Structure formats: structure tokens, C-alpha cells
Amino acid sequence: MATKPGTQSLNTAAIGRIIRIVPRSRNVEAALLIFALGINAYELAQIQLSTIAILRSDIWLYWLPVALLSLAFHTLLRMRASEADPILLPVAVVLNGLGIAEIYRLDLARIAQHQTNLFAGKQVVWTCIAIAIAMLVVFFIPNHLFLRRYVYIAMVIGAALLLSPLVPGLGKTINGARLWIGVGQFTFQPGELAKIALTIFFAGYLVTRRDSLALVGRRILGVRLPRARELGPILLIWAASLGILVFQRDLGTSLLYFGLFIVMIYLATGRAIYVVVGLGMFVTGALVAGRLMSYVSGRINAWLNPFDPVNYNAIGGSYQLAQGNFGLAHGSLLGAGLGGGLPQLVPLAESDFIISSLGEELGLAGLFCILVLYVLMVSRGIRIGFTHPDDFSKLLATGLSFVVALQTFIVIGGVTRVVPLTGLTTPFLAAGGSSLLANWIIVGLLLRVSDSAGGAPRAVSI
Amino acid sequence: MSDLALFLVRVGFLAVLWIFVFSILSVIRADLFGQKVVSRVAEANAPVVVSAPVIPAAPLNTPAPTDTGGIPTLDLEGSEPQIIASKLSITAGARKGQELRLDRREISIGRADNADLVIRDEFASTHHAKLVLMNGDWLIQDLNSTNGTYVNGKRVGTPVTVKIGVPVQIGNTVFELRA
């Protein structure tokens, strides 16, 4: 029974199905998912009871489609990715449900003022589309390494998506930022999807270049600088993210992409110098842009002095930010209760400022709960990257989780005045189809990668 | 609704949200605080080794060489098929003489660092095979490995029951299940 590599070629045809016993984690997921759907129903019922004082049957419209699709997602995971992480799906469903509920609550406030631009229905439709596409991701991507074949295609797609708003005729400028493409009534924010494509590209690129980035290069002043051929892409990404800042007029998006790239280089090489140099480059670029471009300096000024009457009354000034902060203050510790606050007083309360709407109605206790849910989701993603044996998947899972984390930080930090306010969407909560789509695809990819990660490390080993 | 009822609904919702968070935390408690490893040591009255995963060299309580002969001690072979194997014993290869206690969980075998049974052998694949307990029988499933898994000298394609005492070969390592 010696192992001779030549003698066993025909046997592969006989290899049957791989044994899969559905592990305990799927039952955990089912229980958490039912809990999550219960929370969603609670929110909607509470909103109807406190705003219109009765329960109407249209509550089903906002609950049932998402509930059915997320249960279908769970069933798919049982069949196709039974060892996937059990936490991600329920957390995403709770966050998404909170978003729908708050948007519905703002819609009710709009209906009371006889306005017609409603968002909750659209949000439900987009959530269903996004969950369905995440299911397709899990269904059609056979394993996590599949994506590695399309690294450079992902780069081209990512760059095209990123630059598409600049195409004349296709791109649209909304609220001063040129981040949308639009055909007729239909608008889409391609940058949201670009972050996934670019994460795939960064992961694939850095897996092959990590050693030369970490080890090769000349020492200058005690610091080992990488060679030009490895440094080139970094400078390119820096220039591209500054390009977004200048031409698409959006600070948050450019910070997101640059931050993503820096973190992934750090993950791949383990050298802190990239983080230091990268942050230095970004801050320098942003400061120069702040000098040259009025909208950046306006943002910084509004961040530092939002309650200054000059900023508060200026067009595009700090009115929105100050209103959001008043809302948060009104929410206090326990909040005004869903349906009990006045979040409609903040401009864009359903998208950019959804977190101040939720903060007003759920209070500090609820806001912290939302933050913990994000932390749980991101930490699960990073853990998937940490335990995965394959380097590409490590980078991919960690990068995708980091994108969600950084975006959440930039948005919530902006609303709560930790950093200057920028126009990114709060993952899963904010109204907007592109953002939902991108974040559910991230969840789908993380679930697919986690299925092959091999679960928790065992205590038993020889 | 009365103000009191609304207040209770409001605070109740925050409570429900936090209960959700804490139920997730209880699910991942093992990740946060580490797994308990008490029972294995306590029940180890047999000459069983549970040693560090990485370096196989000289664990303190390696069983005496009486156990390493392997095949001569096979008195259980085939005679009592009802007994579920409780340990995996390596009879040939770099880790000859070491044993792995089996519980009901599946055992992954391969060159990967996170395999339950790590085989450092150029003829072993990264994810070579896995052992799964099904209806009281341990089944071995070859995971499409390059050089194959041999049960009792025959290369296996489909999942095959591994009886107690039957040698299983992966690369240069041979192991068998024992009661």
C-alpha cells in the first residue's frame, strides 16, 4: 500500500458526495434569526402604536418580505454552506430591520405633513433584491478561491465603477457630490460596489506581492523603502483617492478607499511603516485640498463650530449637523421611543442622518446597542480572516470587514462630530439601494469564506 | 395607548435589543474566553496523549513503547463491531506511537496547521481526508487528495467505514482506530 503518485488516476471519478452533517451552528443561526425577526416586528408595531395609535395591516408589507427572504437565506446556508458563521446573518437582519423601521417612521411623519416622497417601500424592495443577490453569491461562488482567478478583472471593474460618475451624461451630482450614475429616475451609487471589487483586487494583488513589499528594498534613514515597482500601485491609489476628492467632491469615499488599501498592505506585510506613511500622505493631501477647495474647508469649519450662527445659517453649513446633535440630545439616555421623537426635523434624516434619528428615538442605550451589533459583525468577519488557512481568504475576509468598520466609523463619527462630516451611507441602516446591495454582498462573501474556514480551532490535537 | 404602556414598550424594546446582543455574546463565549479543557484530562485514565499541537517531540507523558507496536495489540479487530472507537492511534510515520482521543466531532486530517490531525508529509494534501461519526460508525472521506487515502491497502473514493483495528494510510502515516 505504498503511495505511488502514478497509480491512482482513475479513482477520482468514483469520489462521491462529501459528507456534510449540518452542524450545531445552523441551529444557533435559526434561533437568532427568529429572535431578529421578532425584534423587527416589535419595532414596526411600536412605531404604528405610538404614531397612529392603532395596528394597521400594512405592517406586513414592511416585515414579511424581508422575513421570508432571510429565512430562505438561512435554508440556503443549511444546504450549501452549512459551516458558515452563524452570527452574521441575524445581525445583518436586525440592523436592516432597524433601518426599515426608522425609515417607515420618517415616512409616517412625512405623510402627516402631506409630503409624497416616501422611502420605506423602496427600502424594502432594495433589501429583498440585496438579500437575493447575496444568496446568489453564496449559491454560485463554489468556493472562496474562485474569486482569485478574477483579480485583475475585479480591478478593472472596480476602477470603472469608481470613475463612472465622471462620465458626462451618465454621472449625476447630488448635494454637491458627483457620486451617482443615473438613467432617468433611477440613480445608483457605483462606488459602493467598487469597494467590493477593489477589496478582491487588493487581496489578490497583495497575496502575490507581500514578500517583496515586506522584505525587498533599499534602506533610507533606517527605513526600508519598497522598490518602485511595488510602490507604484500605492502612489496610484493615493492619486486616485485624491482624484475622487477633487473631481467627485467627496471626502468620505476617498478616505474609505485609501484606508482600505493601507490596512490591507499592513495586513499583508505586517509593517507599521505603511500605516504611518499612508496616513501621512492622506492627511497631507487632504490639508492641501482643504486649502485649495472651499467645500473641504467648509466641512472642517462646520465640524469644529457647528453651533456658530455663521456656520449654522450658511447654505451647506452646519445646520444639518447641529440639528442631528439636537436630536441626539433630545434622545438622552433611554430615547424618546420609536415614533416618539422628532427626527424629521433633520435634513436627510432617512439616509445620511439615520443614526441621529435612531439615536433620538432609542437613546444612548439603543445607539450603543447598534454600535455593539456592528462590532460583533466586524469582529466575526475579522475572526473568519484570522482562522482561515488560506492567505487570499484571510486578506479578503479581513478587508471586507474592515470596509464595513471604516465606513461605519466615518459616518457615525461624522454625525456625532468625532470627525468631519462626509457623505457616506451607514451600512444596512441608511436608505439607499446601492449601499444595501453592497453590504449584503459583503455578508454573502463572508459567509462563503467562513464556510471553508474550518470553524473554531479544536482543543484536541496530537 | 396610555403613557405608562408606551414607556414599558419603549424600555422593553431596548431590553430586547440588549438581550439579543447578549445571546450572541453567549454563543461566541468560547471565542472570547477560550474553551474549557478540563474533562479531557480528567477522564484520561488510559495511556492517552493529548499534547501540544505543533511540535511532536517528546511530550512528557508519552506512552511507553509497549504501545507503539501497534498491530500485535489488536485483539478487538472485527469481533465487537458495536463498540464505537474512542481513540485514533498512529502506528507508522513520523508520529508513530501518538494517540488522539476521539469524541463525537469529526476529525480533519491533512497538512494544514488547523487540521485536527496534522500530518507533515509531502505525500499528504493540505486538506486530505476527514473522519466522521455516522450512526455509530466512523467513516473516512477522502477530500480529493492528490495521493489518496488507503483503507486496508485499498484506495478509497467514496466514504468508507473504518472498522476498529483496520490500518488507514495517508502518505507515510498509518493509523488505526481503537476502542
Side-chain angles (χ1 to χ4, degrees):
Chain A
M1 56 189 260
T3 321
K4 289 182 203 132
T7 58
Q8 20 66 3
S9 54
L10 292 173
N11 243 332
T12 41
I15 289 176
R17 64 191 179 92
I18 288 183
I19 302 173
R20 265 200 190 260
I21 299 169
V22 173
R24 184 179 152 269
S25 59
R26 288 276 77 74
N27 295 337
V28 169
E29 184 183 75
L32 287 175
L33 191 57
I34 288 166
F35 196 163
L37 294 174
I39 292 177
N40 291 356
Y42 191 145
E43 291 150 14
L44 290 164
Q46 185 185 353
I47 285 167
Q48 289 207 337
L49 284 175
S50 57
T51 47
I52 48 183
I54 44 159
L55 276 181
R56 285 199 317 228
S57 59
D58 65 349
I59 197 168
W60 292 102
L61 287 177
Y62 301 101
W63 185 78
L64 197 62
V66 179
L68 287 179
L69 264 166
S70 50
L71 288 173
F73 201 165
H74 169 72
T75 316
L76 176 73
L77 288 177
R78 270 185 187 269
M79 294 188 300
R80 295 299 290 258
S82 62
E83 281 161 50
D85 189 276
I87 310 290
L88 288 172
L89 179 63
V91 170
V93 167
V94 161
L95 288 173
N96 204 155
L98 262 176
I100 290 174
E102 188 63 27
I103 292 162
Y104 174 60
R105 182 256 171 283
L106 289 161
D107 273 2
L108 288 177
R110 275 199 200 85
I111 290 168
Q113 295 169 355
H114 307 289
Q115 293 180 17
T116 50
N117 53 334
L118 305 180
F119 295 93
K122 276 188 216 161
Q123 183 78 349
V124 171
V125 171
W126 272 111
T127 303
C128 292
I129 294 172
I131 296 180
I133 288 180
M135 285 168 72
L136 293 181
V137 165
V138 172
F139 188 81
F140 280 112
I141 295 187
N143 63 57
H144 53 286
L145 291 176
F146 173 82
L147 293 169
R148 200 173 167 179
R149 283 185 246 160
Y150 303 106
V151 162
Y152 287 95
I153 294 179
M155 178 191 77
V156 173
I157 292 174
L161 285 171
L162 209 52
L163 297 178
S164 58
L166 295 177
V167 177
L170 191 65
K172 282 211 161 142
T173 306
I174 301 179
N175 300 327
R178 197 172 173 89
L179 290 174
W180 286 263
I181 53 173
V183 180
Q185 280 290 82
F186 180 81
T187 57
F188 196 79
Q189 207 173 343
E192 290 282 339
L193 288 177
K195 70 189 182 190
I196 300 172
L198 287 178
T199 310
I200 294 169
F201 164 65
F202 290 158
Y205 175 79
L206 290 170
V207 152
T208 51
R209 300 296 165 85
R210 60 192 301 178
D211 288 340
S212 41
L213 273 169
L215 301 172
V216 186
R218 236 178 305 156
R219 274 184 173 280
I220 295 171
L221 299 174
V223 175
R224 197 191 303 273
L225 287 180
R227 293 178 299 183
R229 70 177 75 165
E230 278 99 28
L231 202 60
I234 303 176
L235 295 172
L236 203 68
I237 298 288
W238 176 65
S241 61
L242 281 184
I244 297 172
L245 189 69
V246 174
F247 295 113
Q248 304 188 355
R249 297 171 61 85
D250 191 76
L251 194 65
T253 313
S254 68
L255 178 60
L256 185 66
Y257 292 120
F258 198 63
L260 169 67
F261 188 57
I262 292 302
V263 161
M264 291 196 73
I265 286 196
Y266 174 63
L267 283 169
T269 62
R271 293 183 62 203
I273 183 73
Y274 285 111
V275 179
V276 177
V277 171
L279 281 179
M281 279 165 71
F282 185 80
V283 170
T284 315
L287 282 179
V288 171
R291 278 293 170 90
L292 298 177
M293 299 170 66
S294 62
Y295 93 96
V296 176
S297 58
R299 283 287 169 91
I300 291 174
N301 202 5
W303 166 52
L304 293 174
N305 308 301
F307 305 114
D308 185 338
V310 178
N311 286 333
Y312 186 80
N313 293 321
I315 294 167
S318 65
Y319 173 78
Q320 184 188 29
L321 188 55
Q323 287 293 320
N325 281 343
F326 292 155
L328 288 173
H330 182 215
S332 175
L333 199 59
L334 292 179
L338 285 169
L342 295 164
Q344 65 270 26
L345 297 182
V346 185
L348 293 179
E350 74 288 332
S351 55
D352 288 9
F353 271 66
I354 187 95
I355 207 71
S356 81
S357 310
L358 283 165
E360 178 174 356
E361 306 222 305
L362 299 176
L364 191 68
L367 206 53
F368 272 15
C369 197
I370 292 169
L371 291 179
V372 172
L373 287 173
Y374 279 121
V375 168
L376 284 172
M377 174 178 271
V378 169
S379 68
R380 287 316 281 179
I382 290 176
R383 187 190 151 73
I384 290 164
F386 180 71
T387 52
H388 206 284
D390 168 66
D391 283 339
F392 173 72
S393 312
K394 265 184 199 297
L395 284 175
L396 182 66
T398 321
L400 290 174
S401 328
F402 179 76
V403 162
V404 176
L406 184 60
Q407 186 164 350
T408 312
F409 171 76
I410 293 173
V411 184
I412 300 184
V415 172
T416 53
R417 280 184 64 221
V418 176
V419 291
L421 179 67
T422 57
L424 284 174
T425 54
T426 323
F428 298 103
L429 291 176
S434 351
S435 162
L436 279 177
L437 194 60
N439 288 304
W440 273 104
I441 290 175
I442 288 178
V443 167
L445 285 173
L446 285 177
L447 286 169
R448 174 43 80 207
V449 173
S450 69
D451 182 47
S452 59
R458 296 275 176 78
V460 209
S461 194
I462 303 196
Chain B
M1 279 174 94
S2 71
D3 282 352
L4 178 67
L6 272 180
F7 177 78
L8 290 179
V9 167
R10 192 176 106 195
V11 177
F13 181 66
L14 291 176
V16 167
L17 267 185
W18 279 104
I19 291 169
F20 182 70
V21 165
F22 280 104
S23 51
I24 289 175
L25 287 177
S26 77
V27 168
I28 60 173
R29 190 177 47 202
D31 289 353
L32 298 172
F33 303 111
Q35 277 171 329
K36 286 188 178 177
V37 281
V38 198
S39 58
R40 252 180 258 303
V41 182
E43 66 195 35
N45 44 8
V48 168
V49 183
V50 180
S51 69
V54 183
I55 305 156
L60 273 180
N61 49 350
T62 312
T66 53
D67 201 39
T68 58
I71 295 128
T73 61
L74 284 179
D75 47 356
L76 290 167
E77 183 174 359
S79 57
E80 287 172 86
Q82 310 293 1
I83 297 176
I84 298 173
S86 66
K87 60 191 179 193
L88 182 159
S89 180
I90 297 184
T91 56
R95 296 182 148 195
K96 181 175 173 179
Q98 296 188 356
E99 289 187 335
L100 172 66
R101 180 173 280 276
L102 304 174
D103 45 22
R104 308 192 70 84
R105 292 181 293 186
E106 68 173 56
I107 300 291
S108 58
I109 304 166
R111 219 164 48 184
D113 284 335
N114 67 342
D116 299 314
L117 173 53
V118 180
I119 294 182
R120 299 212 185 282
D121 183 337
E122 54 205 53
F123 291 110
S125 297
T126 313
H127 302 289
H128 196 105
K130 63 182 178 181
L131 273 169
V132 183
L133 185 62
M134 256 191 154
N135 304 327
D137 283 326
W138 282 97
L139 270 66
I140 193 153
Q141 158 90 52
D142 187 78
L143 298 175
N144 213 354
S145 63
T146 312
N147 291 312
T149 304
Y150 294 80
V151 177
N152 218 356
K154 278 178 65 184
R155 182 164 177 166
V156 297
T158 48
V160 165
T161 312
V162 182
K163 293 254 165 51
I164 288 170
V166 173
V168 179
Q169 180 169 9
I170 287 173
N172 292 323
T173 299
V174 182
F175 64 82
E176 60 190 44
L177 302 184
R178 293 182 182 175

